[in-house]
């Protein structure tokens, strides 16, 4: 039966207010990781760190004193937030998540709480204000990433074992609250906060504080959207409380992984944050292993939207503020695809139709309009569509090339085959828009 909690989930089911409904329509987002680590790009003294580049400080090849003084070289003369926003706009991105402070503690805004900030760099100026303005002007909502774990702060603790730990960590909690107050006050356009670095015992033992902090932030900015990575409950559970209820406005556990089935989503809102290389969020001079092609990223986007979520693709600009070619190509290719097919992504949700091998269904929210996002054309050239009983497909249109005559053949129980013209191949994923209606009569009338 239900476990009595003071600091578990305070809401069951999805948030239904307008801000969250907008969040649900996004489909595609952009993550940007930028900071002191971007100056090293995963390399030090000619050697490559074989982990995620933004974690290079944990590598014993880089002395803390060296890493913690890197910011004194941060001077991104090529930083052009208007250009960044234009690239994101062209890509079809609807929301941005940007690193204000990563685990190393370096603040990209002129915080009054520490000297380890952009104000102490040769660049001096606030990075975040012009970024928020440029993206907001481009019609892209801004969310701010904030790492609770802060390797630079003397009062940070991984665990609370002694009274001194608790006294120090209480100071750290106050510091954290002050920094977050600065961010929401300096950048009131912020639609939400993306918390990270909250997996250690010190935070798991601070459930009451995480609860009061979330309530404080939402009182400061009504409508603020905060995922499930902030809170811990009375017993140290994260994401879901001891009763299995999500603590947060959406499930924030999908980092570099995508749910397999709708059941994995547990009726929550969710987004998946994804790197283009296998791992590594900050600029990495040498990408290790396989990096995703544009078609692979588009397939991940289709997968996410088809299961009711959003996909947030990560970019790691160099220390000088420029993007690497692979990321610019991905943005361009995805943008070109979205230009033709975004009706299958924006304002869409889980369709609930029987999945077929050719790809993914999405459904337009509030309408009987469905989309087939096709990645695998069968050798027959015919795509099977099996709507739920008593529904039938009445029209099928190829997005972007309505002239291409695809034909719709009705088969059993409201099902259909969509026949593609001989030798049809676009070499990239394509979308067929379906109009449907409830079948009238008993369903055994002449086909
Ligand atoms: C969004 C991503 N989250 C950070 C992260 C967290 N972790 C991690 C790795 C192992 C255990 C717990 C957390 N690895 N990377 C990455 O540095 C990036 O910011």
């Amino acid at each position: 039966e239900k476990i009595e909690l003071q600091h578990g989930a305070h809401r069951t089911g999805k948030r239904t207010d307008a801000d969250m409904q907008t969040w649900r329509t996004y489909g595609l987002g952009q993550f940007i990781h930028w900071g002191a680590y971007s100056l090293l790009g995963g390399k030090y003294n000619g050697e490559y760190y074989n982990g995620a580049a933004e974690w290079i400080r944990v590598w014993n090849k880089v002395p803390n004193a060296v890493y913690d003084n890197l910011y004194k070289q941060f001077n991104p003369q090529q930083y052009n937030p208007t250009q960044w926003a234009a690239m994101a706009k062209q890509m079809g991105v609807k929301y941005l998540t940007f690193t204000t402070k990563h685990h190393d503690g370096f603040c990209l805004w002129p915080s009054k709480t520490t000297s380890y900030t952009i104000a102490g760099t040769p660049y001096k100026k606030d990075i975040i204000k012009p970024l928020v303005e440029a993206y907001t002007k481009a019609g892209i909502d801004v969310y701010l990433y904030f790492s609770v774990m802060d390797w630079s702060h003397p009062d940070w603790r991984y665990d609370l074992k002694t009274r001194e730990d608790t006294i120090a960590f209480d100071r750290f909690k106050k510091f954290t609250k002050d920094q977050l107050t600065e961010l929401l006050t300096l950048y009131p356009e912020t639609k939400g906060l993306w918390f990270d670095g909250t997996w250690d015992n010190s935070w798991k033992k601070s459930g009451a504080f995480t609860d009061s902090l979330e309530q404080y932030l939402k009182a400061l900015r009504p409508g603020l959207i905060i995922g499930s990575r902030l809170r811990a409950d009375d017993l140290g559970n994260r994401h879901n409380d001891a009763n299995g209820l999500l603590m947060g406005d959406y499930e924030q556990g999908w980092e570099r992984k995508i749910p397999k089935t709708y059941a994995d989503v547990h009726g929550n809102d969710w987004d998946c944050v994804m790197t283009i290389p296998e791992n590594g969020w900050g600029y990495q001079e040498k990408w290790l292993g396989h990096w995703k092609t544009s078609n692979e990223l588009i397939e991940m986007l289709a997968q996410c939207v088809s299961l009711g979520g959003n996909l947030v693709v990560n970019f790691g600009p160099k220390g000088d503020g420029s993007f690497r070619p692979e990321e610019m190509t991905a943005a361009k290719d995805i943008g070109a695809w979205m230009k033709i097919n975004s009706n299958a992504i924006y304002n869409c949700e889980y369709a609930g139709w029987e999945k077929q091998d050719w790809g993914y269904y999405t459904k337009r929210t509030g309408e009987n309009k469905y989309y087939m996002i096709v990645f695998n054309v069968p050798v027959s050239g015919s795509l099977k569509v099996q709507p739920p009983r008593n529904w039938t497909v009445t029209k099928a249109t190829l997005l972007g090339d309505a002239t291409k005559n695809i034909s719709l053949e009705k088969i059993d129980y409201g099902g259909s085959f969509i026949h593609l013209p001989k030798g049809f191949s676009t070499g990239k994923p394509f979308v067929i828009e379906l109009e449907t209606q409830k079948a009238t009569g008993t369903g055994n009338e002449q086909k």
Side-chain angles (χ1 to χ4, degrees):
E1 80 285 358
K2 203 165 146 47
I3 298 167
E4 201 45 49
L5 295 169
Q6 297 305 315
H7 305 297
H10 301 307
R11 187 202 72 245
T12 55
K14 294 179 177 178
R15 247 179 72 168
T16 54
D17 60 290
D19 291 314
M20 201 66 209
Q21 280 163 14
T22 300
W23 188 92
R24 225 166 265 138
T25 66
Y26 289 146
L28 176 62
Q30 178 188 39
F31 216 139
I32 295 182
H33 277 72
W34 202 31
Y37 43 78
S38 311
L39 293 167
L40 294 183
K43 185 167 98 175
Y44 181 68
N45 272 354
E47 283 190 66
Y48 289 99
Y49 170 48
N50 69 1
E54 71 285 355
W55 278 64
I56 194 167
R57 189 179 184 275
V58 299
W59 191 28
N60 57 17
K61 296 269 170 72
V62 184
N64 285 351
V66 168
Y67 184 94
D68 295 345
N69 283 292
L70 276 176
Y71 77 116
K72 292 175 181 162
Q73 299 163 42
F74 195 78
N75 192 5
Q77 288 311 309
Q78 287 193 56
Y79 175 49
N80 184 329
T82 307
Q83 253 171 19
W84 286 20
M87 180 177 86
K89 181 91 185 154
Q90 183 279 331
M91 179 176 162
V93 151
K94 289 291 184 187
Y95 66 132
L96 164 73
T97 302
F98 182 77
T99 48
T100 60
K101 180 182 89 168
H102 203 259
H103 310 330
D104 60 9
F106 174 51
C107 300
L108 272 75
W109 80 99
S111 173
K112 299 262 180 299
T113 64
T114 166
S115 58
Y116 192 28
T117 82
I118 191 75
T121 71
Y123 189 76
K124 286 199 183 349
K125 293 169 289 183
D126 182 354
I127 291 286
I128 299 176
K129 185 131 193 81
L131 188 76
V132 172
E133 285 170 357
Y135 272 74
T136 305
K137 197 158 164 239
I140 300 171
D141 286 345
V142 177
Y143 293 70
L144 297 178
Y145 167 110
F146 182 88
S147 174
V148 167
M149 176 170 72
D150 182 333
W151 295 325
S152 77
H153 199 287
D155 292 333
W156 163 255
R157 293 290 182 282
Y158 287 98
D159 201 348
L160 306 177
K161 293 211 181 317
T162 66
R163 224 175 83 70
E164 285 63 38
D165 286 343
T166 303
I167 292 166
F169 204 62
D170 282 347
R171 287 195 298 267
F172 184 79
K173 290 173 185 173
K174 166 100 178 51
F175 160 77
T176 299
K177 182 174 175 182
D178 291 347
Q179 288 203 324
L180 291 166
T181 303
E182 283 183 333
L183 289 173
L184 293 183
T185 308
L186 288 167
Y187 318 113
E189 307 89 333
T190 304
K191 296 286 182 194
L193 294 169
W194 205 97
F195 286 98
D196 203 5
T198 56
W199 49 80
D200 289 296
N201 283 341
S202 52
W203 200 251
K204 285 180 183 171
K205 290 174 179 174
S206 302
F209 174 74
T210 70
D211 191 5
S212 66
L213 178 64
E214 184 181 70
Q215 292 184 44
Y216 166 76
L217 295 169
K218 290 194 168 187
L220 198 55
R221 279 280 168 278
L224 199 68
I225 292 175
I226 298 178
S228 61
R229 217 178 264 204
L230 173 64
R231 300 261 305 279
D233 75 0
D234 313 50
L235 310 172
N237 297 296
R238 295 179 59 239
H239 295 284
N240 296 303
D241 68 16
N243 297 308
L245 295 173
L246 191 75
M247 293 178 282
D249 299 323
Y250 64 95
E251 158 70 72
Q252 211 185 332
W254 302 103
E255 179 173 318
R256 293 191 300 128
K257 51 182 189 273
I258 296 174
K260 289 266 168 304
T261 68
Y262 193 63
D264 297 332
V265 164
H266 300 294
N268 295 321
D269 281 306
W270 62 278
D271 69 5
C272 161
V273 289
M274 185 58 77
T275 51
I276 298 178
E278 280 175 27
N279 190 9
W281 302 78
Y283 170 62
Q284 207 143 326
E285 186 188 302
K286 195 168 78 163
W287 277 0
L288 311 169
H290 172 78
W291 53 89
K292 295 142 190 100
T293 63
S294 302
N295 280 343
E296 283 169 347
L297 291 168
I298 293 166
E299 179 153 10
M300 290 182 167
L301 173 61
Q303 268 177 287
C304 288
V305 178
S306 77
L307 290 175
N310 299 324
L311 177 74
V312 184
V313 180
N314 183 68
F315 289 70
K318 298 179 191 171
D320 67 5
S322 67
F323 287 97
R324 57 185 305 150
E326 295 88 346
E327 293 181 349
M328 292 195 284
T329 301
K332 191 170 62 63
D333 294 348
I334 293 169
W337 188 83
M338 287 292 275
K339 204 164 171 57
I340 296 171
N341 300 295
S342 65
N343 277 354
I345 300 295
Y346 299 146
N347 305 296
C348 282
E349 61 187 37
Y350 170 62
W353 288 14
E354 177 191 309
K355 170 119 180 37
Q356 306 290 339
D357 292 342
W358 43 256
Y360 310 88
Y361 286 115
T362 62
K363 177 188 177 297
R364 199 151 193 72
T365 298
E367 294 179 40
N368 282 336
K369 208 167 259 188
Y370 292 76
Y371 296 92
M372 301 164 62
I373 309 178
V374 183
F375 290 86
N376 317 302
V377 175
V379 286
S380 65
S382 300
L383 307 173
K384 180 164 168 51
V385 177
Q386 190 63 56
R389 284 188 66 73
N390 300 331
W391 282 89
T392 179
V393 174
T394 53
K395 191 175 172 201
T397 313
L398 177 69
L399 290 196
D401 197 342
T403 57
K404 270 265 186 338
N405 56 341
I406 57 176
S407 66
L408 177 64
E409 176 198 359
K410 290 191 183 352
I411 51 176
D412 59 336
Y413 303 111
S416 305
F417 269 122
I418 290 177
H419 300 297
L420 301 170
K422 276 272 160 287
F424 178 97
S425 154
T426 65
K428 41 186 184 298
F430 58 90
V431 173
I432 293 173
E433 180 182 85
L434 302 175
E435 294 193 13
T436 64
Q437 66 182 22
K438 226 165 171 44
T440 53
T442 57
N444 59 11
E445 69 276 15
Q446 189 58 34
K447 285 195 176 27

